[in-house]
Amino acid sequence: MTDLLALLRRRIRVTGPLTLAEYMAEALGHPTHGYYTTRDPLGRAGDFTTAPEISQMFGELLGLWCADAWLRLGRPDPVLWIELGPGRGTLMKDAWRATGQVPGFHRAVRLFLLETSPTLCEVQGQALAHCEPVWIERMADLPDGPVLAIANEFFDALPIRQFQQTDRGWRERLVDWDEASGKLRYVLAPKPDPASTLIPASISAAPVNSIAEVSPAAVSVTAELSHRITRFGGAALVVDYGSTRSAAGDSFQAVRNHEFADPLVAPGEADLTSHVDFQRLAEVATESGAVVEGPYEQGGFLAALGINQRAEMLKAGANDNQRDAIDAALHRLTSRNADAMGELFKVLTVLSANLASNNGET
């Protein structure tokens, strides 16, 4: 039994079953036993690999998208460039390098990294020391001003709550301790919870046993970011895996050593995520006054930004092995095949009104 599992068992005995959001928050962010607070989870030696670790092209193109948005905003100085959940800093390192030739951009940028993991902050500091980043733990800590934001595989790790449809209506799915088996298990709350009103109307009448997922944390972050974009001007890119439309279904999952695992086994030792509801994020951003475009499939979005041309440029100076690696990375980032990210991953753009009529991505 892991230390965190023992803590959760004691907590459940005292206060009762946990919401899935509470369980995820502890498993991922516990100060001493949480998954993200105790390790670097990325790459072959970790549990999963993200797009920036696959190829430099990903970060380069997203960086140039932000620089273009800055130009169309009228070159504000300063401009707040923020990455939410920066991982190892790889994406921003590539983005910074690619935007170095945009006159005045780096001089205007004030770089912020939204990160709560001390381990990853240290890694990011080594990768991005030349950018002089400032770390924050909440969107509320960001100063006022025009903002350019990138959130790559950030929203999928935010805590969710799950509800199951019963013949008595929606009941919250909770995490409980089963003394007989010595394991965590799912149970249903005996009474309805006001949070069930967050379930999208389009799935509120789903059949019995259907699962609905909501993320108050994702709604809060999206609203805060969108309000800033509306008030001060700016743009944001949200890149993640999930559905274009709100839909019922259980997408809660764990990944360990690059393989799927039981999310209720060994909390703190595996990454816990869920699919992002892009329709809900778009609704929140629109309600906050921003303009939303997309979501686009990642493959098509990167193609529109010129990833194929960038791949050819890189291959021109590469050896045979390097060219094969570039082709493999291009496939993984853009293909709609099951082994790739091109279709499953989506890109949502959130824009201030002065950028919306000419964002150049369709």
Side-chain angles (χ1 to χ4, degrees):
M1 179 180 294
T2 66
D3 291 337
L4 182 57
L5 183 56
L7 289 173
L8 293 175
R9 179 183 64 176
R10 289 197 293 271
R11 177 176 170 181
I12 290 170
R13 283 174 171 173
V14 173
T15 63
L18 306 174
T19 67
L20 197 56
E22 292 171 330
Y23 175 74
M24 289 183 69
E26 293 284 10
L28 297 177
H30 188 279
T32 55
H33 304 301
Y35 179 76
Y36 283 118
T37 55
T38 57
R39 74 201 69 209
D40 175 356
L42 295 160
R44 292 183 179 179
D47 294 310
F48 58 91
T49 301
T50 60
E53 307 294 332
I54 294 171
S55 172
Q56 69 185 70
M57 296 184 290
F58 186 81
E60 289 173 346
L61 292 174
L62 267 57
L64 290 171
W65 185 93
C66 288
D68 177 69
W70 174 74
L71 291 172
R72 292 184 288 114
L73 282 168
R75 305 171 185 254
D77 184 356
V79 63
L80 312 178
W81 199 6
I82 179 172
E83 185 177 359
L84 290 72
R88 290 175 170 169
T90 304
L91 187 157
M92 186 53 68
K93 184 177 181 180
D94 292 334
W96 191 272
R97 183 185 62 253
T99 55
Q101 300 305 310
V102 180
F105 184 59
H106 285 181
R107 184 180 64 250
V109 162
R110 306 294 183 269
L111 182 61
F112 291 84
L113 305 175
L114 192 152
E115 182 60 72
T116 59
S117 166
T119 301
L120 290 176
C121 284
E122 183 177 350
V123 176
Q124 295 156 13
Q126 295 171 359
L128 299 170
H130 59 294
C131 308
E132 300 182 354
V134 174
W135 283 267
I136 60 175
E137 294 189 359
R138 306 174 305 154
M139 282 297 300
D141 296 329
L142 194 67
D144 291 346
V147 61
L148 303 169
I150 298 175
N152 178 61
E153 292 200 51
F154 170 79
F155 282 93
D156 65 85
L158 294 181
I160 63 168
R161 297 177 72 169
Q162 284 189 339
F163 296 85
Q164 183 171 323
Q165 183 74 286
T166 73
D167 55 9
R168 296 170 293 127
W170 292 101
R171 295 292 184 269
E172 186 157 17
R173 205 179 189 200
L174 305 173
V175 178
D176 196 9
W177 179 258
D178 181 21
E179 291 289 354
S181 66
K183 297 179 180 179
L184 294 170
R185 63 176 180 179
Y186 294 116
V187 296
L188 293 183
K191 298 179 180 180
D193 189 282
S196 64
T197 58
L198 298 174
I199 296 171
S202 59
I203 61 174
S204 61
V208 170
N209 294 325
S210 297
I211 300 293
E213 297 176 339
V214 298
S215 177
V219 168
S220 178
V221 172
T222 302
E224 172 69 16
L225 181 58
S226 301
H227 278 303
R228 287 177 176 273
I229 288 173
T230 300
R231 180 180 177 189
F232 301 109
L237 284 172
V238 176
V239 186
D240 227 310
Y241 52 89
S243 55
T244 302
R245 308 293 296 177
S246 300
D250 180 6
S251 72
F252 182 49
Q253 62 187 25
V255 175
R256 188 176 185 183
N257 295 325
H258 297 270
E259 295 182 353
F260 291 110
D262 187 331
L264 297 189
V265 173
E269 300 295 323
D271 185 32
L272 302 180
T273 67
S274 65
H275 285 207
V276 175
D277 182 348
F278 280 94
Q279 180 179 350
R280 184 64 187 126
L281 296 191
E283 290 170 350
V284 171
T286 301
E287 291 165 0
S288 301
V291 177
V292 170
E293 297 185 357
Y296 311 106
E297 291 184 0
Q298 177 176 289
F301 185 81
L302 293 177
L305 293 184
I307 193 170
N308 294 296
Q309 294 85 343
R310 179 56 176 153
E312 291 302 317
M313 291 173 62
L314 292 174
K315 288 163 62 177
N319 60 37
D320 288 344
N321 289 337
Q322 291 170 332
R323 284 193 288 271
D324 289 343
I326 293 168
D327 284 336
L330 180 65
H331 170 86
R332 190 168 177 188
L333 290 174
T334 64
S335 173
R336 303 182 85 234
N337 290 356
D339 64 342
M341 306 168 71
E343 181 179 16
L344 175 61
F345 279 71
K346 311 295 192 303
V347 181
L348 187 74
T349 66
V350 182
L351 310 165
S352 52
N354 56 338
L355 293 182
S357 61
N358 183 32
N359 88 337
E361 308 308 338
T362 56

